[in-house]
Every structure is written in structure tokens, then in C-alpha cells.
Amino acid sequence: MKLILLGAPGAGKGTVAKMLTDVDGSVQISTGDILRGAVAAGTDLGKKAKAFMDAGDLVPDDLIMGIMEERLQEADCANGFLLDGFPRTIPQAEALKALLARLGIELDMAVNLEVPREVILDRLTTRRTCTGCGAIYNVKSKPTKVEGVCDECGAAVVQRDDETEEAISNRLDVYNEKTAPLVDYYRKEGKLIDINATSSDVVVQTIKDNLPG
Ligand code: ADP
Ligand code: ZN
């Protein structure tokens, strides 16, 4: 499947994307994970991106499009991909459209994960992320077996630098201003489905039920 996952920070894009990779071998492409990897590795990209990310601001579109142009042409994308955290702005969506047309790829749909703001705030402040494999935990609803250690890969599980209250509130404002307009953009393209995303299991089932073909 070839999907875009839209939704506020904490809507569950990463969790749903990981669950969907088991359905048909489509790969999860998380621009947030790619950027955090670049920051951890101290690459040029990471150095350029870090300050934007820590403040909860968006990384400039040209850096993101450079990443995505390479990533979408890798061999593992041939089976399908789940775009998690991209596109995030109208210019990114326009650039993606041109890129996909050039590569001869057609999107199946864009999924809008809808979650009430209180749930989002609660999820983000209690969320913990694996520094090794990107697995997502929650101190209340999905703790690691050993505190601070990933069940999957053994790496450290931490609160992200952009999960302070101030950065979270900025990320939600940035989402409303820059990313929320993509919902109407994909609705006009005839690609959008809205899903109440309080339960990730329901989201995955609804996506499966709506896949074309
Ligand atoms: P979340 O969806 O939980 O906010 P992500 O892991 O998707 O978090 O992204 C973390 C940060 O990485 C964002 O706040 C932003 O700084 C940067 N980022 C990720 N994807 C993009 C993108 N498509 N465009 C611009 N910045 C991005
Ligand atoms: Zn891990």
C-alpha cells in the first residue's frame, strides 16, 4: 500500500505505520526518525536540523525534499510505503506530487488520524521513544519491561528533546498552522479518509477495509 498518514503529533502515526508494515511488507518512512538518526550520527543534515527540531519547529522544506527524493527511490519502497510525518506543509505536498508523477507512483490514500486535543497532550507527555529502533512506549499504557530499556532492541528508551511542555505546545501550533491544511488538500484530490484514531487497532482495520483493489 502507498499511504500518507496525517495527524497531529501524538495522533499515533508512528504506531499505526509500524502495525501496517506487518500487513503487506510496506515500509514505514518516518522523516522524524530519519532526522533523529541524522542528529544522533552528527551528519551535516543532523547539524542543520537539530535546532529546529528541539524547538518543535519544522525543518526547512528543501532539506526534507532532499531526504524524501532519495528515500522513495530505494528498492524497499517498491512494495509500498507508509509516509509518517511527511508531507508536513503544502509546498512539501506539491513537491511530493511532482516527485511521484516523475517516478510513476500513484498514492492509494491519505489517512487523517483524528484525536481529541486532551488525548494528544496526555500521550505526548507520557510517550517514550527508543533511541535504537524508534519503538514507541508510554509510561502509563505501554511501559518497557525493564525501565529505560527497549524490549525490542535493548537500546535506551528516552523522552525526546522536543517533548518538553513548551516544545509540545509549539509543535501543536505548528501543526494547526502548517500541516492541518493538508487535510483539505488531499480531500480535494479525492484521496482522503478521516478516521477516529483513539484506538490504533481500529485505525489499522479501517485502513485495510478501505484499501483499493
Ligand atoms: P511528531 O509527529 O510527533 O511531532 P516527528 O517525529 O514526526 O514528530 O517529527 C519530529 C520533528 O522533526 C518535527 O517537530 C520537525 O522539527 C521535524 N520534522 C519531521 N518531519 C518533518 C517534515 N516533513 N517537515 C519538516 N520538519 C519535519
Ligand atoms: Zn529499540
Side-chain angles (χ1 to χ4, degrees), residues 129-137 149-157:
T129 305
C130 174
T131 52
C133 70
I136 298 160
Y137 296 92
V149 179
C150 181
D151 296 351
E152 308 287 330
C153 77
V157 171

Side-chain angles (χ1 to χ4, degrees), residues 25 64 88 159 188:
I64 300 291
R88 271 268 220 306
Q159 185 160 29
K188 285 191 191 119

Side-chain angles (χ1 to χ4, degrees), residues 8-10 13 30-33 35-36 52-53 56-59 64 84-88 92 124 127 160 162-163 171:
K13 300 183 294 293
S30 158
T31 41
D33 286 349
L35 291 167
R36 278 185 290 279
F52 295 104
M53 295 174 72
D57 289 328
L58 293 181
V59 171
I64 300 291
D84 160 14
F86 170 86
R88 271 268 220 306
Q92 287 181 19
L124 289 175
R127 179 157 85 174
R160 285 168 25 182
D162 62 357
E163 284 175 353
R171 279 160 62 208

Side-chain angles (χ1 to χ4, degrees), residues 32-43 45-47 50 53 131-132:
D33 286 349
I34 294 171
L35 291 167
R36 278 185 290 279
V39 170
T43 64
L45 170 68
K47 283 178 192 141
K50 184 169 177 20
M53 295 174 72
T131 52

Side-chain angles (χ1 to χ4, degrees), residues 12-31:
K13 300 183 294 293
T15 304
V16 165
K18 285 194 173 65
M19 291 165 77
L20 288 170
T21 59
D22 294 335
V23 173
D24 68 352
S26 298
V27 289
Q28 174 190 14
I29 304 179
S30 158
T31 41

